[in-house]
Amino acid sequence: MMSKKKLGVNTICTHVGEVKDEQFKGAVSPMYLSSSYEFLDVDIKRYPRYFNTPNQEFLSKKIAALEGTEGALIFSSGMAAISHMFLAFLQKGDHLVVQNTLYGGTVNFIKEEFPKYGIEYTFTNGYKAKDFEDVIQSNTKLIHIETPSNPLLTITDIRDVTQIAKSKGILTSIDNTFASPINQKPIEFGVDLVMHSATKYFGGHSDLSAGAVASSHQNIERIWNVSKNLGGNLSDMTVWLLERSMKTLGLRVKAQTKNAMKLAKWLNRHPQISKVHYPGLKSHPEHKLAKAQMTGFGAMLSFELDKSLDSEKFQKKLKLIKSSMSLAGVESTVISPHLTSHALLTQYERDSVGISDQLIRFSVGIEAVKDLKADIIQAIESF
Ligand code: PLP
C-alpha cells in the first residue's frame, strides 16, 4: 500500500486496517471469531484480551492512521479506554489535572475510583490554559482536556496546554470524541494521548459500544500492559462492525458538520432561541481558536430555548428529531443536560457552569436540513 501520509482521509477510512481475505479474496475483512490461536512462541500469543486478534490488530491501524499516531488500542467502551489510559499513567501518589467541563462518566470515574487507588486529582476552575497551569502540582503526571466540551462546546487551546505540560515534563491526554479526527487532530498540537468513545462518531449508527486510545508505540505499550490485566477488550464481532462503520466516518462527519453549521446559523436568528453554543459561529467566544485548531467545527451544538418554552415539552413535541441519551449517530438527537449528564449536580453547580434548564444539546445527523428545521418549527409552534 502507498505511504499512509499521502492517503486522503476517506481512503484511510475505507482501506487502512483491512484484513486481507487471502483465502477467498472477498472485498471486505473476514471476521475472525477465534478466542484461541496456535501458540507460536512467547512473543506471539494471539488472544482477545491481549488486544491482538486479527480484527483488533488491523482496526487499530486505521484509528492510528486517522489520528496520525504510531499505534492505537480498541476497547469495549469509551470509559474502558479512558479508565485503562488513566490507570496506565497514574499510580499511588500521582496527581491528575483535569478540565472541569467534562463528560459526566469521566468525572464519576475520577471521583469514585481514584481515592481507592490513592491517585490525587484537581478539576480546573475553567477551560483556559491558565486554569490548567494554576493547579499543577509537583506530583502532576497527566493533564486531561476535552475540547469541544460537552454540552457548552467551549474550546480549550490545545497547543497552549500541551506547551505548559511539556515545559514541566507532564503528559497530556484529550477526549477527542466530539470533534473526531475528521475535525481535529490533537497530535499536531502536541497532545500525547488521544482517546475516543467510539460508541459515538466512529460507530456512527447508534448500534455499538467501543472506545479507543491512539498514541506513540511506547505509550500504547504502557497502556497495553495495564489493559491486558484489566481486560476491557472489544469482541471481534463488534470490532468488525466498527471497521465497517468507520469506512464512512469521513463522509458522515463532514455531512453532519455541514448540517450543524447551517442549523446553528438558523437557530441563532430564531426569535424563540435565546442562545446558540457552536464554535462555528462568529459570536462564539473561542471561534478564532476553534478555526485555528479544528478543520471543521463539528456536528454537536447546544441552544437555549426562550423561557416561555418548557424544554422537556419541546423535546416531546419533536417528531423527527429523537430524544436520546447518546449522540453522534446519523440520526439527529436532542437531550436536556440538566436531566441527564448533569442531573447529579445541584442547581447552583449547574448555574455556575452555565447549564440552564432551558439548554438543549443537539447532535446533528445527516437528514435534510429543511426537514430538521421544519421539525423544530412545528415543535415550537405547537406550544
Ligand atoms: N467521552 C465523551 C465525550 C462521551 O460523550 C462519552 C459517552 O457519552 C464517553 C467519553 C464515554 O463513552 P462510552 O459511553 O462509550 O463508555
Side-chain angles (χ1 to χ4, degrees), residues 129 143 145 157-174 186-192:
I143 296 179
I145 64 176
D157 192 322
I158 307 175
R159 200 191 295 278
D160 278 1
V161 174
T162 58
Q163 274 174 1
I164 291 165
K166 275 194 203 326
S167 72
K168 297 179 189 292
I170 299 167
L171 285 176
T172 45
S173 59
I174 185 168
I187 290 292
E188 292 172 3
F189 298 93
V191 171
D192 298 295

mmCIF file with all atom_site columns, all heavy atoms in Angstrom, residues 129 143 145 157-174 186-192:
data_model
loop_
_atom_site.group_PDB
_atom_site.id
_atom_site.type_symbol
_atom_site.label_atom_id
_atom_site.label_alt_id
_atom_site.label_comp_id
_atom_site.label_asym_id
_atom_site.label_entity_id
_atom_site.label_seq_id
_atom_site.pdbx_PDB_ins_code
_atom_site.Cartn_x
_atom_site.Cartn_y
_atom_site.Cartn_z
_atom_site.occupancy
_atom_site.B_iso_or_equiv
_atom_site.pdbx_formal_charge
_atom_site.auth_seq_id
_atom_site.auth_comp_id
_atom_site.auth_asym_id
_atom_site.auth_atom_id
_atom_site.pdbx_PDB_model_num
ATOM 1   N N   . ALA A 1 129 ? -5.971 27.913 29.267 1.00 0.00 ? 129 ALA A N   1
ATOM 2   C CA  . ALA A 1 129 ? -4.664 27.312 29.588 1.00 0.00 ? 129 ALA A CA  1
ATOM 3   C C   . ALA A 1 129 ? -4.202 27.688 30.992 1.00 0.00 ? 129 ALA A C   1
ATOM 4   O O   . ALA A 1 129 ? -3.667 26.856 31.738 1.00 0.00 ? 129 ALA A O   1
ATOM 5   C CB  . ALA A 1 129 ? -3.640 27.741 28.536 1.00 0.00 ? 129 ALA A CB  1
ATOM 6   N N   . ILE A 1 143 ? -2.287 15.720 32.343 1.00 0.00 ? 143 ILE A N   1
ATOM 7   C CA  . ILE A 1 143 ? -3.320 16.760 32.222 1.00 0.00 ? 143 ILE A CA  1
ATOM 8   C C   . ILE A 1 143 ? -4.316 16.251 31.192 1.00 0.00 ? 143 ILE A C   1
ATOM 9   O O   . ILE A 1 143 ? -3.933 15.866 30.088 1.00 0.00 ? 143 ILE A O   1
ATOM 10  C CB  . ILE A 1 143 ? -2.718 18.109 31.765 1.00 0.00 ? 143 ILE A CB  1
ATOM 11  C CG1 . ILE A 1 143 ? -1.741 18.653 32.821 1.00 0.00 ? 143 ILE A CG1 1
ATOM 12  C CG2 . ILE A 1 143 ? -3.831 19.121 31.465 1.00 0.00 ? 143 ILE A CG2 1
ATOM 13  C CD1 . ILE A 1 143 ? -1.082 19.975 32.450 1.00 0.00 ? 143 ILE A CD1 1
ATOM 14  N N   . ILE A 1 145 ? -7.756 16.975 28.921 1.00 0.00 ? 145 ILE A N   1
ATOM 15  C CA  . ILE A 1 145 ? -8.665 18.008 28.420 1.00 0.00 ? 145 ILE A CA  1
ATOM 16  C C   . ILE A 1 145 ? -9.764 17.413 27.544 1.00 0.00 ? 145 ILE A C   1
ATOM 17  O O   . ILE A 1 145 ? -9.631 16.292 27.045 1.00 0.00 ? 145 ILE A O   1
ATOM 18  C CB  . ILE A 1 145 ? -7.912 19.126 27.644 1.00 0.00 ? 145 ILE A CB  1
ATOM 19  C CG1 . ILE A 1 145 ? -7.226 18.587 26.373 1.00 0.00 ? 145 ILE A CG1 1
ATOM 20  C CG2 . ILE A 1 145 ? -6.899 19.813 28.514 1.00 0.00 ? 145 ILE A CG2 1
ATOM 21  C CD1 . ILE A 1 145 ? -6.555 19.669 25.547 1.00 0.00 ? 145 ILE A CD1 1
ATOM 22  N N   . ASP A 1 157 ? -7.466 25.782 24.337 1.00 0.00 ? 157 ASP A N   1
ATOM 23  C CA  . ASP A 1 157 ? -6.314 25.939 23.452 1.00 0.00 ? 157 ASP A CA  1
ATOM 24  C C   . ASP A 1 157 ? -5.374 24.737 23.647 1.00 0.00 ? 157 ASP A C   1
ATOM 25  O O   . ASP A 1 157 ? -4.640 24.662 24.629 1.00 0.00 ? 157 ASP A O   1
ATOM 26  C CB  . ASP A 1 157 ? -5.599 27.255 23.773 1.00 0.00 ? 157 ASP A CB  1
ATOM 27  C CG  . ASP A 1 157 ? -4.575 27.617 22.713 1.00 0.00 ? 157 ASP A CG  1
ATOM 28  O OD1 . ASP A 1 157 ? -3.894 26.692 22.203 1.00 0.00 ? 157 ASP A OD1 1
ATOM 29  O OD2 . ASP A 1 157 ? -4.460 28.803 22.392 1.00 0.00 ? 157 ASP A OD2 1
ATOM 30  N N   . ILE A 1 158 ? -5.428 23.807 22.704 1.00 0.00 ? 158 ILE A N   1
ATOM 31  C CA  . ILE A 1 158 ? -4.685 22.546 22.860 1.00 0.00 ? 158 ILE A CA  1
ATOM 32  C C   . ILE A 1 158 ? -3.179 22.824 22.893 1.00 0.00 ? 158 ILE A C   1
ATOM 33  O O   . ILE A 1 158 ? -2.449 22.296 23.732 1.00 0.00 ? 158 ILE A O   1
ATOM 34  C CB  . ILE A 1 158 ? -5.013 21.552 21.719 1.00 0.00 ? 158 ILE A CB  1
ATOM 35  C CG1 . ILE A 1 158 ? -6.524 21.341 21.595 1.00 0.00 ? 158 ILE A CG1 1
ATOM 36  C CG2 . ILE A 1 158 ? -4.303 20.228 21.936 1.00 0.00 ? 158 ILE A CG2 1
ATOM 37  C CD1 . ILE A 1 158 ? -6.942 20.458 20.418 1.00 0.00 ? 158 ILE A CD1 1
ATOM 38  N N   . ARG A 1 159 ? -2.727 23.697 21.985 1.00 0.00 ? 159 ARG A N   1
ATOM 39  C CA  . ARG A 1 159 ? -1.278 23.952 21.914 1.00 0.00 ? 159 ARG A CA  1
ATOM 40  C C   . ARG A 1 159 ? -0.763 24.588 23.211 1.00 0.00 ? 159 ARG A C   1
ATOM 41  O O   . ARG A 1 159 ? 0.261  24.183 23.743 1.00 0.00 ? 159 ARG A O   1
ATOM 42  C CB  . ARG A 1 159 ? -0.965 24.860 20.725 1.00 0.00 ? 159 ARG A CB  1
ATOM 43  C CG  . ARG A 1 159 ? 0.503  24.778 20.287 1.00 0.00 ? 159 ARG A CG  1
ATOM 44  C CD  . ARG A 1 159 ? 0.857  25.857 19.310 1.00 0.00 ? 159 ARG A CD  1
ATOM 45  N NE  . ARG A 1 159 ? 0.171  25.771 18.040 1.00 0.00 ? 159 ARG A NE  1
ATOM 46  C CZ  . ARG A 1 159 ? 0.535  24.995 17.021 1.00 0.00 ? 159 ARG A CZ  1
ATOM 47  N NH1 . ARG A 1 159 ? 1.583  24.215 17.146 1.00 0.00 ? 159 ARG A NH1 1
ATOM 48  N NH2 . ARG A 1 159 ? -0.143 25.007 15.901 1.00 0.00 ? 159 ARG A NH2 1
ATOM 49  N N   . ASP A 1 160 ? -1.507 25.574 23.726 1.00 0.00 ? 160 ASP A N   1
ATOM 50  C CA  . ASP A 1 160 ? -1.060 26.252 24.948 1.00 0.00 ? 160 ASP A CA  1
ATOM 51  C C   . ASP A 1 160 ? -0.982 25.275 26.122 1.00 0.00 ? 160 ASP A C   1
ATOM 52  O O   . ASP A 1 160 ? -0.026 25.288 26.889 1.00 0.00 ? 160 ASP A O   1
ATOM 53  C CB  . ASP A 1 160 ? -2.025 27.388 25.314 1.00 0.00 ? 160 ASP A CB  1
ATOM 54  C CG  . ASP A 1 160 ? -1.722 28.653 24.518 1.00 0.00 ? 160 ASP A CG  1
ATOM 55  O OD1 . ASP A 1 160 ? -0.790 28.619 23.683 1.00 0.00 ? 160 ASP A OD1 1
ATOM 56  O OD2 . ASP A 1 160 ? -2.435 29.651 24.715 1.00 0.00 ? 160 ASP A OD2 1
ATOM 57  N N   . VAL A 1 161 ? -1.989 24.424 26.253 1.00 0.00 ? 161 VAL A N   1
ATOM 58  C CA  . VAL A 1 161 ? -1.985 23.491 27.394 1.00 0.00 ? 161 VAL A CA  1
ATOM 59  C C   . VAL A 1 161 ? -0.834 22.486 27.250 1.00 0.00 ? 161 VAL A C   1
ATOM 60  O O   . VAL A 1 161 ? -0.119 22.199 28.213 1.00 0.00 ? 161 VAL A O   1
ATOM 61  C CB  . VAL A 1 161 ? -3.349 22.758 27.540 1.00 0.00 ? 161 VAL A CB  1
ATOM 62  C CG1 . VAL A 1 161 ? -3.280 21.703 28.635 1.00 0.00 ? 161 VAL A CG1 1
ATOM 63  C CG2 . VAL A 1 161 ? -4.466 23.740 27.836 1.00 0.00 ? 161 VAL A CG2 1
ATOM 64  N N   . THR A 1 162 ? -0.622 21.978 26.044 1.00 0.00 ? 162 THR A N   1
ATOM 65  C CA  . THR A 1 162 ? 0.450  20.979 25.881 1.00 0.00 ? 162 THR A CA  1
ATOM 66  C C   . THR A 1 162 ? 1.818  21.617 26.093 1.00 0.00 ? 162 THR A C   1
ATOM 67  O O   . THR A 1 162 ? 2.725  20.975 26.624 1.00 0.00 ? 162 THR A O   1
ATOM 68  C CB  . THR A 1 162 ? 0.401  20.287 24.497 1.00 0.00 ? 162 THR A CB  1
ATOM 69  O OG1 . THR A 1 162 ? 0.500  21.263 23.478 1.00 0.00 ? 162 THR A OG1 1
ATOM 70  C CG2 . THR A 1 162 ? -0.843 19.467 24.317 1.00 0.00 ? 162 THR A CG2 1
ATOM 71  N N   . GLN A 1 163 ? 1.945  22.898 25.703 1.00 0.00 ? 163 GLN A N   1
ATOM 72  C CA  . GLN A 1 163 ? 3.244  23.548 25.921 1.00 0.00 ? 163 GLN A CA  1
ATOM 73  C C   . GLN A 1 163 ? 3.545  23.720 27.409 1.00 0.00 ? 163 GLN A C   1
ATOM 74  O O   . GLN A 1 163 ? 4.664  23.482 27.853 1.00 0.00 ? 163 GLN A O   1
ATOM 75  C CB  . GLN A 1 163 ? 3.297  24.895 25.197 1.00 0.00 ? 163 GLN A CB  1
ATOM 76  C CG  . GLN A 1 163 ? 3.733  24.694 23.744 1.00 0.00 ? 163 GLN A CG  1
ATOM 77  C CD  . GLN A 1 163 ? 3.672  25.958 22.909 1.00 0.00 ? 163 GLN A CD  1
ATOM 78  O OE1 . GLN A 1 163 ? 3.321  27.033 23.405 1.00 0.00 ? 163 GLN A OE1 1
ATOM 79  N NE2 . GLN A 1 163 ? 3.990  25.821 21.632 1.00 0.00 ? 163 GLN A NE2 1
ATOM 80  N N   . ILE A 1 164 ? 2.517  24.090 28.151 1.00 0.00 ? 164 ILE A N   1
ATOM 81  C CA  . ILE A 1 164 ? 2.701  24.225 29.611 1.00 0.00 ? 164 ILE A CA  1
ATOM 82  C C   . ILE A 1 164 ? 3.092  22.863 30.180 1.00 0.00 ? 164 ILE A C   1
ATOM 83  O O   . ILE A 1 164 ? 4.033  22.736 30.963 1.00 0.00 ? 164 ILE A O   1
ATOM 84  C CB  . ILE A 1 164 ? 1.401  24.743 30.282 1.00 0.00 ? 164 ILE A CB  1
ATOM 85  C CG1 . ILE A 1 164 ? 1.146  26.188 29.888 1.00 0.00 ? 164 ILE A CG1 1
ATOM 86  C CG2 . ILE A 1 164 ? 1.469  24.592 31.799 1.00 0.00 ? 164 ILE A CG2 1
ATOM 87  C CD1 . ILE A 1 164 ? -0.273 26.691 30.178 1.00 0.00 ? 164 ILE A CD1 1
ATOM 88  N N   . ALA A 1 165 ? 2.368  21.829 29.748 1.00 0.00 ? 165 ALA A N   1
ATOM 89  C CA  . ALA A 1 165 ? 2.636  20.476 30.268 1.00 0.00 ? 165 ALA A CA  1
ATOM 90  C C   . ALA A 1 165 ? 4.052  20.031 29.910 1.00 0.00 ? 165 ALA A C   1
ATOM 91  O O   . ALA A 1 165 ? 4.801  19.553 30.777 1.00 0.00 ? 165 ALA A O   1
ATOM 92  C CB  . ALA A 1 165 ? 1.612  19.499 29.700 1.00 0.00 ? 165 ALA A CB  1
ATOM 93  N N   . LYS A 1 166 ? 4.423  20.217 28.664 1.00 0.00 ? 166 LYS A N   1
ATOM 94  C CA  . LYS A 1 166 ? 5.754  19.759 28.206 1.00 0.00 ? 166 LYS A CA  1
ATOM 95  C C   . LYS A 1 166 ? 6.867  20.460 28.976 1.00 0.00 ? 166 LYS A C   1
ATOM 96  O O   . LYS A 1 166 ? 7.864  19.843 29.337 1.00 0.00 ? 166 LYS A O   1
ATOM 97  C CB  . LYS A 1 166 ? 5.912  20.033 26.705 1.00 0.00 ? 166 LYS A CB  1
ATOM 98  C CG  . LYS A 1 166 ? 5.319  18.907 25.852 1.00 0.00 ? 166 LYS A CG  1
ATOM 99  C CD  . LYS A 1 166 ? 5.764  19.003 24.411 1.00 0.00 ? 166 LYS A CD  1
ATOM 100 C CE  . LYS A 1 166 ? 4.863  18.318 23.441 1.00 0.00 ? 166 LYS A CE  1
ATOM 101 N NZ  . LYS A 1 166 ? 4.180  17.115 23.805 1.00 0.00 ? 166 LYS A NZ  1
ATOM 102 N N   . SER A 1 167 ? 6.675  21.761 29.250 1.00 0.00 ? 167 SER A N   1
ATOM 103 C CA  . SER A 1 167 ? 7.728  22.505 29.958 1.00 0.00 ? 167 SER A CA  1
ATOM 104 C C   . SER A 1 167 ? 7.943  21.939 31.356 1.00 0.00 ? 167 SER A C   1
ATOM 105 O O   . SER A 1 167 ? 8.959  22.190 31.992 1.00 0.00 ? 167 SER A O   1
ATOM 106 C CB  . SER A 1 167 ? 7.380  23.989 30.015 1.00 0.00 ? 167 SER A CB  1
ATOM 107 O OG  . SER A 1 167 ? 6.312  24.181 30.927 1.00 0.00 ? 167 SER A OG  1
ATOM 108 N N   . LYS A 1 168 ? 6.980  21.184 31.862 1.00 0.00 ? 168 LYS A N   1
ATOM 109 C CA  . LYS A 1 168 ? 7.099  20.610 33.211 1.00 0.00 ? 168 LYS A CA  1
ATOM 110 C C   . LYS A 1 168 ? 7.203  19.088 33.174 1.00 0.00 ? 168 LYS A C   1
ATOM 111 O O   . LYS A 1 168 ? 7.074  18.423 34.195 1.00 0.00 ? 168 LYS A O   1
ATOM 112 C CB  . LYS A 1 168 ? 5.889  21.028 34.064 1.00 0.00 ? 168 LYS A CB  1
ATOM 113 C CG  . LYS A 1 168 ? 5.810  22.539 34.270 1.00 0.00 ? 168 LYS A CG  1
ATOM 114 C CD  . LYS A 1 168 ? 4.595  22.914 35.093 1.00 0.00 ? 168 LYS A CD  1
ATOM 115 C CE  . LYS A 1 168 ? 4.357  24.399 35.133 1.00 0.00 ? 168 LYS A CE  1
ATOM 116 N NZ  . LYS A 1 168 ? 5.327  25.197 35.857 1.00 0.00 ? 168 LYS A NZ  1
ATOM 117 N N   . GLY A 1 169 ? 7.375  18.546 31.984 1.00 0.00 ? 169 GLY A N   1
ATOM 118 C CA  . GLY A 1 169 ? 7.538  17.090 31.850 1.00 0.00 ? 169 GLY A CA  1
ATOM 119 C C   . GLY A 1 169 ? 6.273  16.304 32.146 1.00 0.00 ? 169 GLY A C   1
ATOM 120 O O   . GLY A 1 169 ? 6.322  15.150 32.588 1.00 0.00 ? 169 GLY A O   1
ATOM 121 N N   . ILE A 1 170 ? 5.114  16.939 31.900 1.00 0.00 ? 170 ILE A N   1
ATOM 122 C CA  . ILE A 1 170 ? 3.823  16.283 32.193 1.00 0.00 ? 170 ILE A CA  1
ATOM 123 C C   . ILE A 1 170 ? 3.191  15.820 30.883 1.00 0.00 ? 170 ILE A C   1
ATOM 124 O O   . ILE A 1 170 ? 3.239  16.530 29.875 1.00 0.00 ? 170 ILE A O   1
ATOM 125 C CB  . ILE A 1 170 ? 2.875  17.288 32.909 1.00 0.00 ? 170 ILE A CB  1
ATOM 126 C CG1 . ILE A 1 170 ? 3.494  17.754 34.230 1.00 0.00 ? 170 ILE A CG1 1
ATOM 127 C CG2 . ILE A 1 170 ? 1.491  16.686 33.133 1.00 0.00 ? 170 ILE A CG2 1
ATOM 128 C CD1 . ILE A 1 170 ? 2.799  18.957 34.849 1.00 0.00 ? 170 ILE A CD1 1
ATOM 129 N N   . LEU A 1 171 ? 2.583  14.652 30.893 1.00 0.00 ? 171 LEU A N   1
ATOM 130 C CA  . LEU A 1 171 ? 1.900  14.143 29.698 1.00 0.00 ? 171 LEU A CA  1
ATOM 131 C C   . LEU A 1 171 ? 0.509  14.787 29.569 1.00 0.00 ? 171 LEU A C   1
ATOM 132 O O   . LEU A 1 171 ? -0.061 15.228 30.576 1.00 0.00 ? 171 LEU A O   1
ATOM 133 C CB  . LEU A 1 171 ? 1.714  12.631 29.784 1.00 0.00 ? 171 LEU A CB  1
ATOM 134 C CG  . LEU A 1 171 ? 2.936  11.739 29.560 1.00 0.00 ? 171 LEU A CG  1
ATOM 135 C CD1 . LEU A 1 171 ? 2.551  10.282 29.780 1.00 0.00 ? 171 LEU A CD1 1
ATOM 136 C CD2 . LEU A 1 171 ? 3.531  11.923 28.166 1.00 0.00 ? 171 LEU A CD2 1
ATOM 137 N N   . THR A 1 172 ? -0.009 14.803 28.336 1.00 0.00 ? 172 THR A N   1
ATOM 138 C CA  . THR A 1 172 ? -1.367 15.334 28.122 1.00 0.00 ? 172 THR A CA  1
ATOM 139 C C   . THR A 1 172 ? -2.227 14.301 27.411 1.00 0.00 ? 172 THR A C   1
ATOM 140 O O   . THR A 1 172 ? -1.745 13.550 26.560 1.00 0.00 ? 172 THR A O   1
ATOM 141 C CB  . THR A 1 172 ? -1.341 16.609 27.250 1.00 0.00 ? 172 THR A CB  1
ATOM 142 O OG1 . THR A 1 172 ? -0.473 16.388 26.158 1.00 0.00 ? 172 THR A OG1 1
ATOM 143 C CG2 . THR A 1 172 ? -0.911 17.821 28.020 1.00 0.00 ? 172 THR A CG2 1
ATOM 144 N N   . SER A 1 173 ? -3.497 14.287 27.777 1.00 0.00 ? 173 SER A N   1
ATOM 145 C CA  . SER A 1 173 ? -4.455 13.426 27.076 1.00 0.00 ? 173 SER A CA  1
ATOM 146 C C   . SER A 1 173 ? -5.679 14.264 26.727 1.00 0.00 ? 173 SER A C   1
ATOM 147 O O   . SER A 1 173 ? -5.969 15.266 27.384 1.00 0.00 ? 173 SER A O   1
ATOM 148 C CB  . SER A 1 173 ? -4.853 12.224 27.942 1.00 0.00 ? 173 SER A CB  1
ATOM 149 O OG  . SER A 1 173 ? -5.436 12.657 29.156 1.00 0.00 ? 173 SER A OG  1
ATOM 150 N N   . ILE A 1 174 ? -6.356 13.844 25.670 1.00 0.00 ? 174 ILE A N   1
ATOM 151 C CA  . ILE A 1 174 ? -7.547 14.580 25.232 1.00 0.00 ? 174 ILE A CA  1
ATOM 152 C C   . ILE A 1 174 ? -8.670 13.600 24.903 1.00 0.00 ? 174 ILE A C   1
ATOM 153 O O   . ILE A 1 174 ? -8.419 12.513 24.369 1.00 0.00 ? 174 ILE A O   1
ATOM 154 C CB  . ILE A 1 174 ? -7.228 15.465 24.006 1.00 0.00 ? 174 ILE A CB  1
ATOM 155 C CG1 . ILE A 1 174 ? -8.425 16.340 23.611 1.00 0.00 ? 174 ILE A CG1 1
ATOM 156 C CG2 . ILE A 1 174 ? -6.808 14.637 22.793 1.00 0.00 ? 174 ILE A CG2 1
ATOM 157 C CD1 . ILE A 1 174 ? -8.083 17.430 22.589 1.00 0.00 ? 174 ILE A CD1 1
ATOM 158 N N   . PRO A 1 186 ? -5.490 16.309 17.408 1.00 0.00 ? 186 PRO A N   1
ATOM 159 C CA  . PRO A 1 186 ? -4.769 16.881 18.555 1.00 0.00 ? 186 PRO A CA  1
ATOM 160 C C   . PRO A 1 186 ? -3.269 16.592 18.570 1.00 0.00 ? 186 PRO A C   1
ATOM 161 O O   . PRO A 1 186 ? -2.494 17.364 19.130 1.00 0.00 ? 186 PRO A O   1
ATOM 162 C CB  . PRO A 1 186 ? -5.455 16.221 19.757 1.00 0.00 ? 186 PRO A CB  1
ATOM 163 C CG  . PRO A 1 186 ? -6.764 15.731 19.251 1.00 0.00 ? 186 PRO A CG  1
ATOM 164 C CD  . PRO A 1 186 ? -6.554 15.372 17.828 1.00 0.00 ? 186 PRO A CD  1
ATOM 165 N N   . ILE A 1 187 ? -2.859 15.480 17.949 1.00 0.00 ? 187 ILE A N   1
ATOM 166 C CA  . ILE A 1 187 ? -1.435 15.126 17.928 1.00 0.00 ? 187 ILE A CA  1
ATOM 167 C C   . ILE A 1 187 ? -0.621 16.246 17.276 1.00 0.00 ? 187 ILE A C   1
ATOM 168 O O   . ILE A 1 187 ? 0.489  16.551 17.715 1.00 0.00 ? 187 ILE A O   1
ATOM 169 C CB  . ILE A 1 187 ? -1.247 13.786 17.159 1.00 0.00 ? 187 ILE A CB  1
ATOM 170 C CG1 . ILE A 1 187 ? -1.821 12.627 17.969 1.00 0.00 ? 187 ILE A CG1 1
ATOM 171 C CG2 . ILE A 1 187 ? 0.213  13.538 16.757 1.00 0.00 ? 187 ILE A CG2 1
ATOM 172 C CD1 . ILE A 1 187 ? -1.075 12.274 19.262 1.00 0.00 ? 187 ILE A CD1 1
ATOM 173 N N   . GLU A 1 188 ? -1.202 16.915 16.288 1.00 0.00 ? 188 GLU A N   1
ATOM 174 C CA  . GLU A 1 188 ? -0.495 18.004 15.592 1.00 0.00 ? 188 GLU A CA  1
ATOM 175 C C   . GLU A 1 188 ? -0.252 19.196 16.513 1.00 0.00 ? 188 GLU A C   1
ATOM 176 O O   . GLU A 1 188 ? 0.562  20.058 16.218 1.00 0.00 ? 188 GLU A O   1
ATOM 177 C CB  . GLU A 1 188 ? -1.306 18.458 14.364 1.00 0.00 ? 188 GLU A CB  1
ATOM 178 C CG  . GLU A 1 188 ? -1.343 17.395 13.285 1.00 0.00 ? 188 GLU A CG  1
ATOM 179 C CD  . GLU A 1 188 ? -2.293 17.726 12.145 1.00 0.00 ? 188 GLU A CD  1
ATOM 180 O OE1 . GLU A 1 188 ? -2.905 18.815 12.129 1.00 0.00 ? 188 GLU A OE1 1
ATOM 181 O OE2 . GLU A 1 188 ? -2.429 16.854 11.259 1.00 0.00 ? 188 GLU A OE2 1
ATOM 182 N N   . PHE A 1 189 ? -0.983 19.261 17.622 1.00 0.00 ? 189 PHE A N   1
ATOM 183 C CA  . PHE A 1 189 ? -0.811 20.374 18.557 1.00 0.00 ? 189 PHE A CA  1
ATOM 184 C C   . PHE A 1 189 ? -0.060 19.932 19.816 1.00 0.00 ? 189 PHE A C   1
ATOM 185 O O   . PHE A 1 189 ? -0.027 20.646 20.793 1.00 0.00 ? 189 PHE A O   1
ATOM 186 C CB  . PHE A 1 189 ? -2.176 20.977 18.913 1.00 0.00 ? 189 PHE A CB  1
ATOM 187 C CG  . PHE A 1 189 ? -2.866 21.541 17.704 1.00 0.00 ? 189 PHE A CG  1
ATOM 188 C CD1 . PHE A 1 189 ? -3.757 20.770 16.972 1.00 0.00 ? 189 PHE A CD1 1
ATOM 189 C CD2 . PHE A 1 189 ? -2.577 22.823 17.263 1.00 0.00 ? 189 PHE A CD2 1
ATOM 190 C CE1 . PHE A 1 189 ? -4.364 21.264 15.828 1.00 0.00 ? 189 PHE A CE1 1
ATOM 191 C CE2 . PHE A 1 189 ? -3.171 23.333 16.122 1.00 0.00 ? 189 PHE A CE2 1
ATOM 192 C CZ  . PHE A 1 189 ? -4.065 22.554 15.391 1.00 0.00 ? 189 PHE A CZ  1
ATOM 193 N N   . GLY A 1 190 ? 0.518  18.740 19.767 1.00 0.00 ? 190 GLY A N   1
ATOM 194 C CA  . GLY A 1 190 ? 1.401  18.315 20.852 1.00 0.00 ? 190 GLY A CA  1
ATOM 195 C C   . GLY A 1 190 ? 0.813  17.393 21.901 1.00 0.00 ? 190 GLY A C   1
ATOM 196 O O   . GLY A 1 190 ? 1.486  17.051 22.873 1.00 0.00 ? 190 GLY A O   1
ATOM 197 N N   . VAL A 1 191 ? -0.455 16.976 21.744 1.00 0.00 ? 191 VAL A N   1
ATOM 198 C CA  . VAL A 1 191 ? -1.060 16.073 22.750 1.00 0.00 ? 191 VAL A CA  1
ATOM 199 C C   . VAL A 1 191 ? -0.408 14.693 22.659 1.00 0.00 ? 191 VAL A C   1
ATOM 200 O O   . VAL A 1 191 ? -0.068 14.224 21.574 1.00 0.00 ? 191 VAL A O   1
ATOM 201 C CB  . VAL A 1 191 ? -2.589 15.946 22.514 1.00 0.00 ? 191 VAL A CB  1
ATOM 202 C CG1 . VAL A 1 191 ? -3.201 14.864 23.374 1.00 0.00 ? 191 VAL A CG1 1
ATOM 203 C CG2 . VAL A 1 191 ? -3.279 17.270 22.776 1.00 0.00 ? 191 VAL A CG2 1
ATOM 204 N N   . ASP A 1 192 ? -0.219 14.044 23.807 1.00 0.00 ? 192 ASP A N   1
ATOM 205 C CA  . ASP A 1 192 ? 0.423  12.717 23.804 1.00 0.00 ? 192 ASP A CA  1
ATOM 206 C C   . ASP A 1 192 ? -0.575 11.591 23.582 1.00 0.00 ? 192 ASP A C   1
ATOM 207 O O   . ASP A 1 192 ? -0.263 10.624 22.893 1.00 0.00 ? 192 ASP A O   1
ATOM 208 C CB  . ASP A 1 192 ? 1.127  12.489 25.154 1.00 0.00 ? 192 ASP A CB  1
ATOM 209 C CG  . ASP A 1 192 ? 2.224  13.508 25.378 1.00 0.00 ? 192 ASP A CG  1
ATOM 210 O OD1 . ASP A 1 192 ? 3.204  13.482 24.617 1.00 0.00 ? 192 ASP A OD1 1
ATOM 211 O OD2 . ASP A 1 192 ? 2.075  14.348 26.291 1.00 0.00 ? 192 ASP A OD2 1
#
